């Protein structure tokens, strides 16, 4: 089995200190809201992954190629232009939920939201939960 290190790893840095340093103030306030939402939906304590991603839960994957590793189960990063919200294993299975979310853009396994008032937080909660359930059906999700 090939086990290669992911570029993004848990750091042990303080989530609270990271959130306190987010700028501008509106982005910091919204990041606090997201942190509370992710904690409530997942039941997991947050962990910093790399310098700017807050992750909730983790999973160990092993691909058919033999590559394996560990990664965050779900999380977010309050980026300068938009909040990046990570739902593993991606958004392909959630075409029934996404239209109800509100204003957003999609990447491969990343959803971009400019500001929280643009989306329905109840629908985001549903999306986080659905993503964790889907991920857990592929690779067991563990608490962080």
């Amino acid at each position: 089995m090939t086990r290669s290190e992911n570029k993004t790893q848990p750091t042990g840095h303080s989530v609270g200190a990271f959130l306190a340093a987010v700028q501008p103030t509106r982005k910091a306030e919204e990041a606090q809201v997201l942190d509370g939402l992710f904690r409530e939906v997942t039941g997991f304590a947050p962990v910093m992954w790399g310098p700017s991603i807050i992750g909730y839960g983790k999973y160990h994957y092993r691909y058919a190629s033999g590559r394996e590793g560990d990664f965050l189960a779900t999380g977010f990063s309050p980026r300068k232009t938009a909040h990046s919200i990570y739902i593993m294993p991606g958004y392909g299975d959630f075409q029934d939920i996404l239209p109800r979310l509100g204003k957003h853009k999609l990447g491969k396994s990343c959803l971009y939201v400019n500001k929280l008032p643009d989306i329905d937080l109840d629908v985001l909660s549903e999306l986080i939960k659905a993503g964790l359930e889907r991920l857990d059906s592929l690779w067991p999700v563990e608490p962080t």
Side-chain angles (χ1 to χ4, degrees), residues 11 16 66 92-93 99 109 142:
T11 64
D93 294 337
S109 61
E142 302 173 9

Side-chain angles (χ1 to χ4, degrees), residues 55-72:
Y56 303 81
K58 65 179 181 175
Y59 69 100
H60 181 81
Y61 61 86
R62 182 175 293 126
Y63 298 133
S65 66
R67 185 176 191 278
E68 64 181 285
D70 298 303
F71 203 62
L72 62 107

Side-chain angles (χ1 to χ4, degrees), residues 4 11 33 39 42 45 69 78 91 99 109 125:
S4 60
T11 64
V33 170
R39 287 175 189 250
T42 68
Y91 293 91
S109 61
S125 295

